[in-house]
Amino acid sequence: MKIATYNIENLFDLEKEGYKYKEYKPYGKSLWNKKNYKIKLQNISHVIKDIDADIIALQEVHSLKALKDLRFALKQKGVYYQYYSIADKKNTAIKVAILSKIPFIYSKELSVTTSYKYRNILETKFKINNKELYILTNHWKSKAGPESMRIVSAKTLRNRISQIGYDKNIILLGDFNSHYEEYILFKRKRKHNDTNGKTGINHVLRTLKQTQKSPDTRYEKKNFYNLWYDEEKEDSYSYIFKGKKEALDNILISQSLLDKEGISYIKDSITNFDKKYLFKKKSIYRWQVSRAKIPKHKGAGYSDHLPVIAKFFVK
């Protein structure tokens, strides 16, 4: 079973209603129109088809309409995701969603406060070969905000995990806007470190006790294992900022997914999806919008993030 996560960078629909970034107001001077929307859908669906995941979590989807349009573009390419859901109860500009070839029992939102500064988390429960699996899709506050804002989302997640039970099969994935070793990287950045060195991804979600690549990762109660530790450091990235590679998109798993029983993670299967067409020179080939006073869509590019993929064995 292949599971992926992909920040698809601002997939906005062409409907007039709903809060949108100014350059995504439909049929205006920025040229966010039918032609460019169709190109964006075709480009992103091309990537998702090539990934060929059974379940893919998405970030930066504007609406259910945009999600359905993407699903239709995929169907035209011969890829059918019968099951889908989006966290759209809060009127944020961009939201998290999920596409699945496998039916789920339910999909619901976890409210991350009532503030529009935070995007809700999407919880989806599956039953596969009579084994339960919980997938929680995240898109935490960007690095424009300090770490205390990402901790708010992390605590919402941990509270829900406590209710589900740490012994269950749980996958946390998405754009955490946090490197898998954020606790090391952010210490030098005063605007981020407003939490005395504590991070959401490492301290709140408890990923610090399993940080070494080894043949058999040892069991650590109530901890999560960040799969990036299975990958070589130079390949552990999904984003490039000012020439520096960062792993903002992560897949974390509960201990039961390491025990090789029922549903289990396939060792060393974590990877970014780094096909040549997703790069332009040494940068990720993001969706192209000019930087003029009135930004204009150029009808080219994909996303500023790379997808991240992991494989699981189902007995």
Side-chain angles (χ1 to χ4, degrees):
M1 178 174 63
K2 190 187 287 186
I3 295 175
T5 180
Y6 189 19
N7 180 325
I8 58 177
E9 193 184 13
N10 298 332
L11 183 66
F12 281 86
D13 62 36
L14 293 173
E15 304 295 311
K16 294 288 186 183
E17 69 272 3
Y19 169 60
K20 290 176 166 68
Y21 300 149
K22 64 179 182 179
E23 67 270 30
Y24 284 93
K25 288 180 179 173
Y27 305 110
K29 291 180 180 178
S30 290
L31 305 180
W32 186 239
N33 51 33
K34 196 170 183 178
K35 179 186 173 185
N36 282 325
Y37 182 47
K38 189 174 180 181
I39 294 169
K40 174 76 172 182
L41 288 169
Q42 289 300 313
N43 289 6
I44 295 299
S45 60
H46 173 67
V47 181
I48 293 173
K49 181 185 178 183
D50 284 356
I51 293 167
D52 191 28
D54 298 288
I55 301 166
I56 183 163
L58 302 172
Q59 300 84 49
E60 299 200 13
V61 182
H62 174 63
S63 64
L64 180 59
K65 174 76 168 69
L67 182 64
K68 285 181 174 179
D69 288 345
L70 176 61
R71 190 169 160 264
F72 182 71
L74 281 158
K75 197 173 179 181
Q76 287 181 312
K77 286 180 163 60
V79 183
Y80 185 44
Y81 284 98
Q82 185 175 353
Y83 309 97
Y84 58 95
S85 184
I86 185 168
D88 61 355
K89 286 184 180 175
K90 193 186 281 189
N91 190 28
T92 51
I94 48 177
K95 305 165 180 74
V96 298
I98 196 165
L99 293 172
S100 178
K101 296 175 184 176
I102 301 167
F104 46 76
I105 297 169
Y106 68 73
S107 193
K108 67 178 184 179
E109 291 182 48
L110 304 182
S111 177
V112 185
T113 79
T114 56
S115 171
Y116 289 100
K117 292 178 182 178
Y118 302 92
R119 290 171 282 266
N120 284 350
I121 296 163
L122 187 65
E123 176 188 323
T124 311
K125 182 181 179 181
F126 295 82
K127 200 161 192 179
I128 305 167
N129 282 12
N130 221 30
K131 303 289 190 301
E132 292 180 344
L133 174 67
Y134 296 84
I135 295 180
L136 292 104
T137 303
N138 297 262
H139 188 190
W140 292 3
K141 178 65 180 175
S142 75
K143 293 289 180 76
E147 186 59 24
S148 56
M149 295 187 78
R150 286 175 285 284
I151 278 182
V152 170
S153 294
K155 285 182 174 177
T156 300
L157 204 50
R158 192 179 73 184
N159 290 341
R160 179 57 187 147
I161 293 161
S162 297
Q163 293 169 354
I164 294 169
Y166 279 91
D167 58 328
K168 298 291 174 58
N169 296 321
I170 304 171
I171 299 174
L172 315 176
L173 81 181
D175 180 359
F176 292 81
N177 275 302
S178 306
H179 189 77
Y180 63 100
E181 290 188 329
E182 187 69 20
Y183 72 104
I184 297 171
L185 298 184
F186 93 134
K187 282 183 179 177
R188 300 186 295 273
K189 300 174 182 176
R190 287 185 182 178
K191 74 169 188 173
H192 293 148
N193 186 2
D194 64 340
T195 54
N196 293 320
K198 296 288 190 290
T199 68
I201 196 165
N202 301 126
H203 297 88
V204 178
L205 297 184
R206 299 177 180 144
T207 63
L208 289 172
K209 287 191 175 180
Q210 294 166 306
T211 59
Q212 299 299 318
K213 184 174 180 175
S214 60
D216 291 298
T217 306
R218 68 183 185 277
Y219 177 86
E220 289 288 353
K221 190 177 181 181
K222 292 189 175 181
N223 283 251
F224 275 80
Y225 180 55
N226 194 318
L227 299 186
W228 279 127
Y229 283 109
D230 268 19
E231 181 61 286
E232 300 301 326
K233 280 215 169 192
E234 61 268 23
D235 298 322
S236 300
Y237 74 98
S238 60
Y239 189 77
I240 299 174
F241 182 67
K242 293 184 178 178
K244 289 188 176 180
K245 295 176 177 178
E246 298 181 26
L248 299 185
D249 305 88
N250 295 262
I251 302 177
L252 285 65
I253 61 172
S254 60
Q255 302 301 305
S256 61
L257 290 168
L258 289 167
D259 65 9
K260 297 176 183 160
E261 296 292 329
I263 302 171
S264 59
Y265 167 63
I266 296 173
K267 190 82 181 148
D268 298 327
S269 68
I270 178 84
T271 182
N272 62 18
F273 189 75
D274 59 351
K275 297 294 182 185
K276 282 186 179 179
Y277 67 80
L278 291 177
F279 291 85
K280 196 171 187 180
K281 295 181 180 177
K282 291 186 178 180
S283 298
I284 296 171
Y285 192 15
R286 69 182 301 173
W287 180 251
Q288 300 294 294
V289 183
S290 74
R291 295 190 178 185
K293 190 173 182 181
I294 298 175
K296 290 185 178 177
H297 295 270
K298 298 180 180 180
Y302 298 87
S303 167
D304 53 348
H305 289 244
L306 296 177
V308 181
I309 305 163
K311 294 177 184 176
F312 295 80
F313 186 69
V314 181
K315 284 186 180 178

